[in-house]
Amino acid sequence: MTARIQAPTPTAIRRMAAVLKRGGLVAVPSETVYGLAAHALDAKACQRIFKAKGRPPTDPLIVHVHSLAAAAAVADLTPEARALGRAFWPGPLTLVLKKKEIVPDVVTSGLDSVAVRIPRHRVFRDLLRVSGLPLAAPSANPFGYISPTTAEHVLHSLGDRIEHILDGGACDVGVESTIVDLRNPAKPCVLRPGKITADEIAAVLGVPVTVRRGRSHPGKTGKKRRSTAQRAPGQLERHYSPATRLRWVKAIASEEVLTSGRRVAYLFVVRPADPRLAALGGRVAWLSESGDATEAARMLFSRLRGLDQGGYREIRVERLPDDPAYAVIADRLNRAAARGR
Ligand code: TXA
Ligand code: MG
C-alpha cells in the first residue's frame, strides 16, 4: 500500500467521504496536527486505525464532529460542556464526557467516557460535513512517534500503511489539542496541555481547573493498570519521541556547536545570532525567528522530525524561556526527552 497525497478539492472530499463510509482510513489535516480518521461508529474501521498506528487498544480515540448537535449524539453534553464548546469550538479543545451507547468500545477502550472535539481546519470540517459522520482520529503517526504537522510527515511515517492523505498545508497550532476531563463538572481537569490554557477554561467555567501531571508509562506501573484504558495516555512520560536521543542543555554557546562534531545536532529556541551557526545547515535548527511562542509551537514537531532524520547521535535542546507561553512546548519536549518505554 502506498499513500497518495491529495489536494482537498470538492471531488476529493466527496471521494474521501465515500472511503470513510465504506470503513476506510483517511489522513486529514486539523489545526493542531494531522489525524488518521475513520467512521467513529464503525468498530471495524476504528480497529484499522489501531493496526495502522501500532497503537495499543488501551489508548482511546478522540471523536471529531461538525456541530454541537453532532457532539450531543455521541456524548452527554452538560451545560459546562456547552459553555466550553461555545467559547472554544471549533478549535483545539477536546472534552472528555460521559459517552452515549452508540459509541463502540474500541473507540473508548471500554471506558464509559468519550473524548470529543469540533476541529477548526476547513478541510476537516468539509469532510465532516460532506460525510455526515463522526470521525474518530488520533494523530496520524506511528504510536509514540512525533505527531505530523504536514501531509509529507504523514506520508513519510505512515505512507506504507494507509492509502489516502488529504493535504491541508502545514498545521497552524502545531501541537495537539488541550484535553479537559469534564466528567465531574465541579472539578474539571486538564489531562493534556495545549494551546487553550487551564486559566482560559477556568474563566469560562467559573471554577478552578486542575492540571494533571504526567505519569509514567503504564508498562512501568504494573500489570493491573496495563489491562485497563489509560486516563489520558497523551500523558505518557515518553511520547512524541524522536529515535535520536534528546538532551536538555542550559544554554548553547557558539564555540560548543562549532567544535562538537558533525554527529551532534542543536535545537535553539530562537534563531541564533551568530551567522556561523546558521551556516552549519541541517544540524542547527530553531523554533522561531524572534522568540514568538506561537510560532515555536507551530514549528516544534517539524523541527524535531527534521533533526531526527539527520542520523545524529544526539539532539541538544536549549532550555526554554521561563514563560507560561512555552508550557506546552516544554510538556512535549519533556516527553520526547524521556528515556525508556
Ligand atoms: O489535536 C488533537 O487532539 C489531535 C487531532 C487529530 O484532533 N488528536 C490527537 O489524538 O492528538 P491522539 O489519539 O494522538 O491523542 C488523544 C488523547 C490520547 O492520549 C487518549 O488517550 C486521550 O486523548 N483520550 C481519548 N479518549 C479519552 C477518554 N475517554 N478519557 C481520557 N483520555 C482520552
Ligand atoms: Mg497522538
Side-chain angles (χ1 to χ4, degrees):
M1 204 182 318
T2 309
R4 206 163 67 83
I5 295 182
Q6 302 169 64
T9 60
T11 312
I13 298 278
R14 275 198 302 276
R15 284 211 336 270
M16 292 307 101
V19 166
L20 290 163
K21 278 185 189 157
R22 287 199 305 269
L25 304 184
V26 178
V28 46
S30 90
E31 69 277 23
T32 56
V33 301
Y34 274 67
L36 182 59
H39 181 347
L41 306 184
D42 178 338
K44 279 212 176 105
C46 292
Q47 261 148 17
R48 291 189 185 109
I49 293 179
F50 287 87
K51 186 150 183 266
K53 279 183 59 96
R55 180 178 176 113
T58 47
D59 195 355
L61 307 176
I62 296 175
V63 176
H64 300 74
V65 291
H66 188 262
S67 63
L68 280 177
V74 294
D76 271 353
L77 272 198
T78 55
E80 292 79 6
R82 285 179 192 277
L84 287 180
R86 275 195 301 273
F88 300 113
W89 280 344
L93 177 71
T94 296
L95 299 180
V96 172
L97 300 163
K98 195 167 178 319
K99 88 172 184 94
K100 292 269 171 80
E101 191 117 4
I102 192 173
V103 182
D105 277 346
V106 59
V107 170
T108 62
S109 303
L111 293 172
D112 59 7
S113 60
V114 63
V116 184
R117 174 160 107 85
I118 302 183
R120 190 179 69 206
H121 196 291
R122 184 188 63 79
V123 175
F124 208 153
R125 294 188 62 69
D126 284 352
L127 194 60
L128 287 164
R129 183 176 44 77
V130 172
S131 69
L133 303 173
L135 295 175
S139 49
N141 51 312
F143 180 69
Y145 194 59
I146 306 164
S147 295
T149 54
T150 67
E152 288 74 23
H153 292 164
V154 181
L155 182 68
H156 186 260
S157 54
L158 279 186
D160 56 349
R161 304 191 215 168
I162 61 173
E163 277 179 80
H164 309 287
I165 303 172
L166 275 172
D167 192 353
C171 300
D172 185 44
V173 176
V175 289
E176 302 84 348
S177 60
T178 306
I179 302 181
V180 181
D181 184 350
L182 256 193
R183 288 171 308 160
N184 178 353
K187 291 190 174 161
C189 174
V190 171
L191 301 179
R192 179 176 71 184
K195 183 181 166 67
I196 296 171
T197 64
D199 287 349
E200 289 178 284
I201 292 158
V204 172
L205 295 179
V207 293
V209 175
T210 55
V211 179
R212 184 162 280 255
R213 297 288 303 270
R215 71 154 209 246
S216 61
H217 190 275
K220 284 187 194 161
T221 60
K223 263 189 185 149
K224 241 181 169 173
R225 281 229 170 110
R226 211 178 302 171
S227 60
T228 53
Q230 301 156 42
R231 185 93 177 284
Q235 299 173 56
L236 293 181
E237 187 185 311
R238 181 179 164 86
H239 213 90
Y240 316 108
S241 302
T244 319
R245 183 185 138 98
L246 222 71
R247 196 154 68 83
W248 285 110
V249 291
K250 275 201 179 128
I252 308 173
S254 290
E255 291 316 312
E256 179 194 327
V257 181
L258 293 166
T259 58
S260 62
R262 283 187 322 200
R263 302 227 35 226
V264 180
Y266 289 87
L267 182 58
F268 287 84
V269 178
V270 180
R271 174 199 273 273
D274 187 336
R276 293 176 301 169
L277 301 193
L280 290 176
R283 73 186 185 90
V284 173
W286 49 89
L287 294 176
S288 77
E289 291 299 317
S290 59
D292 172 25
T294 304
E295 180 192 353
R298 186 183 302 135
M299 299 316 297
L300 174 67
F301 289 146
S302 204
R303 292 290 175 260
L304 273 182
R305 261 182 197 254
L307 293 175
D308 196 33
Q309 282 154 26
Y312 303 107
R313 181 169 53 78
E314 180 174 284
I315 301 167
R316 295 188 188 156
V317 184
E318 185 185 32
R319 195 162 77 182
L320 297 169
D322 190 15
D323 172 344
Y326 281 90
V328 184
I329 300 175
D331 172 79
R332 301 308 193 265
L333 279 172
N334 275 327
R335 290 175 213 279
R339 302 298 294 168
R341 311 200 77 146

